[in-house]
């Protein structure tokens, strides 16, 4: 079935009330029929609801629907994009292990891998997403994950997913792809060899800046890569915390199963049923919105490229952009989502332009239906030195836009008056 059809129907089986809208199951717990039923659920002899920290029928629809869009096997929803990323990494690596990450990562993922995971004994090693060959020298027997973003935030680069997954597969290492900015509508990393995807549902999935949430999706047949793989002995040996369960022997998708039974159980970063319901509403229009975001962003990028005050425009949909070829290969119809950035002369010029816009909101978010403008050097990247800003591709004069769903004519006009104010 086509993605737009799956977005409306996948994962929802109507109960006796036959409600068209997916019901919100606002409950903490579920009654067992009898003691045997309870025991069977705990022993996984029978699958069913126990407690909303582990599963919930509304969240279940969100997970199934998102899995269908991504073309995966199973998913686990979490309280935020960051918790989905933490679960994805911590499910593979433990103290003494290392993970290999792209330099071009979301700020939260960078601090998670360089600082927080370090305190847990996990070392992050970095490569340039445009230089996959750098990965080979970083790999050793303790490497558990190669982690990158399909369309990077905030640097707006497009990963050569096939080149990266080929290196990982040669060494039997898992690849985790953050597909937040592209969404499954524009990019489906599993088709290019990725093993696990993670998303912040807080962005395009909700679409209107309504709720924080995340999701981790596992590809079909991942069990074959984990089974008897010496890198992942914890998937092949009895889990003492779950009465000796061997995840690769259960017949269930092992990555999400372990993330649920072990990480979600013990760390508790669960999404609320109400937020899952909001994400389901968002998914219904995701493909319509992504096309419109992409169309608007391309027109805005073309306008900026033609303006004399603008030194450089970063948008992978522009033929002049270094990521154009990858975008054409990996993104549906070459559509590149709503994120773009452009560079003006310096810090002062950039802040003047940001303050002069009327239609754009000064917000550190992306993926809202309302257009957003940010000046990274004075906000998200404030603590970095001039040299560090240049190294991570965020010069002082850089302005980032998350292009919304307003009329593009109005968006261009407002930016034009701000540039010329
Ligand atoms: C926002 C974002 C995250 C973090 O998601 P939260 O839902 O805010 O925790 C992770 N990755 C990318 C690419 C993001 O844009």
């Amino acid at each position: 079935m086509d993605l737009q059809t799956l977005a409306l129907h996948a994962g929802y089986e109507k109960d006796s009330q036959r409600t068209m809208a997916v019901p919100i199951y606002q409950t903490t717990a579920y009654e067992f029929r009898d003691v045997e039923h309870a025991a069977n659920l705990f022993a996984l002899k029978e699958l069913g609801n126990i407690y909303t920290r582990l599963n919930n029928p509304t969240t279940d629809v969100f997970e199934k629907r998102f899995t269908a869009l991504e073309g995966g096997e199973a998913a686990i929803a979490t309280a935020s994009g960051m918790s989905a990323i933490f679960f994805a990494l911590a499910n593979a690596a433990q103290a003494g292990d290392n993970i290999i990450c792209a330099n071009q990562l979301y700020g939260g993922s960078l601090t998670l891998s360089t600082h927080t995971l370090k305190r847990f004994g996990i070392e992050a090693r970095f490569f340039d997403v445009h230089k996959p060959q750098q990965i080979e020298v970083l790999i050793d027997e303790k490497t558990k994950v190669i982690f990158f973003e399909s369309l990077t935030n905030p640097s707006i680069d497009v990963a050569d997913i096939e080149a990266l997954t080929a290196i990982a597969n040669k060494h039997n290492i898992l690849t985790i792809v953050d597909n937040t900015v592209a969404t499954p509508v524009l990019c489906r990393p599993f088709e290019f060899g990725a093993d696990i995807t993670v998303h912040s549902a807080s962005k395009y999935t909700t679409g209107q800046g309504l709720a924080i949430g995340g999701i981790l999706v596992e590809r079909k047949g991942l069990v074959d890569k984990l089974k008897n793989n010496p890198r992942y002995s914890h998937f092949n040996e009895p889990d003492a915390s779950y009465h000796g369960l061997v995840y690769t022997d259960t017949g269930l998708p092992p990555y999400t199963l372990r993330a649920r039974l072990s990480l979600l159980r013990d760390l508790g970063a669960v999404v609320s049923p109400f937020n899952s319901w909001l994400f389901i509403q968002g998914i219904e229009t995701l493909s319509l919105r992504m096309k419109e975001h992409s169309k608007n962003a391309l027109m805005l990028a073309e306008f900026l490229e033609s303006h004399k005050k603008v030194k450089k425009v970063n948008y992978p949909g522009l033929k002049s952009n270094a990521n154009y070829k990858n975008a054409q290969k990996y993104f549906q119809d070459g559509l590149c989502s709503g994120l773009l950035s452009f560079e003006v002369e310096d810090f002062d010029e950039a802040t003047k332009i940001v303050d002069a816009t009327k239609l754009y909101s000064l917000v550190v978010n992306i993926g809202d239906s309302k257009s957003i403008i940010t000046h990274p050097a004075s906000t998200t990247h404030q603590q970095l030195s001039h040299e560090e800003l240049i190294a991570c591709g965020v010069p002082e004069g850089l302005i980032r836009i998350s292009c919304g769903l307003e009329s593009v004519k109005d968006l261009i006009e407002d930016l034009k008056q701000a540039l010329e104010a």
Side-chain angles (χ1 to χ4, degrees):
M1 256 188 274
D2 276 352
L3 190 131
Q4 178 55 24
T5 309
L6 295 170
L8 294 164
H9 297 285
Y12 177 43
E13 283 168 34
K14 296 187 181 74
D15 66 12
S16 59
Q17 304 301 326
R18 307 197 59 75
T19 60
M20 278 298 280
V22 176
I24 305 174
Y25 285 90
Q26 192 65 49
T27 183
T28 308
Y30 310 85
E31 187 186 21
F32 307 118
R33 286 192 302 274
D34 49 32
V35 173
E36 189 192 357
H37 179 219
N40 283 345
L41 291 180
F42 275 90
L44 298 182
K45 281 186 192 148
E46 204 179 314
L47 295 179
N49 300 318
I50 295 175
Y51 189 62
T52 284
R53 173 148 43 76
L54 293 171
N55 41 24
N56 173 278
T58 308
T59 299
D60 190 52
V61 176
F62 168 46
E63 291 169 342
K64 289 198 167 111
R65 193 161 291 186
F66 206 93
T67 301
L69 298 191
E70 194 87 300
E73 183 164 355
I76 174 170
T78 56
S80 66
M82 285 320 302
S83 49
I85 292 165
F86 177 71
F87 282 12
L89 297 171
N91 210 18
Q94 62 181 27
D97 292 337
N98 64 75
I99 58 172
I100 299 181
C101 307
N103 285 324
Q104 296 86 345
L105 282 186
Y106 175 71
S109 302
L110 270 181
T111 48
L112 169 68
S113 43
T114 39
H115 298 288
T116 304
L117 289 179
K118 187 175 168 196
R119 295 181 58 229
F120 292 0
I122 298 168
E123 180 202 345
R125 302 172 175 180
F126 289 92
F127 69 98
D128 183 333
V129 79
H130 293 302
K131 297 183 178 132
Q133 69 277 13
Q134 289 181 348
I135 293 174
E136 288 277 0
V137 298
L138 301 174
I139 292 175
D140 61 26
E141 76 281 1
K142 290 288 191 186
T143 301
K144 298 298 162 83
V145 160
I146 294 172
F147 175 43
F148 57 94
E149 296 172 10
S150 49
L151 176 51
T152 68
N153 176 18
S155 70
I156 322 183
D157 289 295
V158 183
D160 187 348
I161 306 176
E162 271 182 350
L164 294 163
T165 58
I167 296 169
N169 287 338
K170 201 171 106 192
H171 297 272
N172 253 319
I173 298 170
L174 295 172
T175 41
I176 299 174
V177 180
D178 184 333
N179 199 28
T180 297
V181 184
T183 80
V185 171
L186 303 184
C187 179
R188 309 222 305 168
F190 297 145
E191 292 173 3
F192 306 107
D195 296 316
I196 292 138
T197 60
V198 286
H199 293 257
S200 166
S202 328
K203 312 293 171 55
Y204 290 107
T205 304
T206 155
Q208 296 162 42
L210 298 178
I212 300 276
I215 194 158
L216 179 168
V217 193
E218 135 175 38
R219 75 162 162 87
K220 290 177 183 147
L222 185 60
V223 65
D224 297 332
K225 188 169 187 174
L226 292 169
K227 184 87 184 157
N228 299 326
N229 185 334
R231 286 187 198 275
Y232 308 103
S233 53
H234 54 298
F235 279 92
N236 292 290
E237 289 164 1
D239 181 351
S241 85
Y242 213 94
H243 46 71
L245 190 72
V246 177
Y247 291 101
T248 49
D249 285 348
T250 56
L252 297 167
Y255 211 77
T256 40
L257 183 69
R258 186 176 185 278
R260 189 182 300 282
L261 296 186
S262 165
L263 298 173
L264 199 55
R265 177 195 63 186
D266 297 347
L267 301 173
V270 68
V271 67
S272 89
F274 182 71
N275 284 0
S276 291
W277 182 83
L278 289 172
F279 299 139
I280 293 165
Q281 309 318 305
I283 287 172
E284 291 201 355
T285 56
L286 184 63
S287 106
L288 299 171
R289 286 186 287 109
M290 291 316 292
K291 285 173 197 151
E292 205 60 24
H293 279 294
S294 304
K295 223 171 68 192
N296 275 0
L298 178 61
M299 286 172 78
L300 203 55
E302 285 169 346
F303 157 74
L304 286 165
E305 204 169 39
S306 73
H307 199 282
K308 60 180 189 312
K309 270 204 185 162
V310 176
K311 284 165 60 182
K312 187 168 179 238
V313 183
N314 304 308
Y315 187 66
L318 291 174
K319 288 209 176 68
S320 59
N321 189 275
N323 295 285
Y324 183 75
K325 219 178 98 209
N326 279 348
Q328 293 299 312
K329 173 171 177 180
Y330 293 111
F331 296 164
Q332 185 71 39
D333 303 323
L335 296 174
C336 294
S337 192
L339 210 56
L340 65 119
S341 65
F342 63 101
E343 203 184 328
V344 294
E345 194 54 40
D346 53 24
F347 190 97
D348 291 343
E349 178 88 21
T351 52
K352 214 180 83 202
I353 292 166
V354 170
D355 280 339
T357 61
K358 298 188 177 87
L359 201 48
Y360 298 79
S361 306
L362 179 56
V363 169
V364 283
N365 187 20
I366 61 163
D368 199 313
S369 46
K370 283 84 72 185
S371 286
I372 286 169
I373 198 161
T374 40
H375 178 230
S378 63
T379 54
T380 50
H381 292 62
Q382 191 185 62
Q383 61 282 51
L384 301 190
S385 68
H386 173 76
E387 285 69 32
E388 286 171 325
L389 286 172
I390 300 298
C392 70
V394 183
E396 277 96 344
L398 191 84
I399 295 171
R400 191 189 72 181
I401 287 178
S402 167
C403 190
L405 300 176
E406 298 91 344
S407 148
V408 72
K409 187 175 131 283
D410 294 332
L411 290 176
I412 290 175
E413 226 162 71
D414 188 40
L415 210 50
K416 186 164 186 291
Q417 69 75 25
L419 277 158
E420 288 159 18

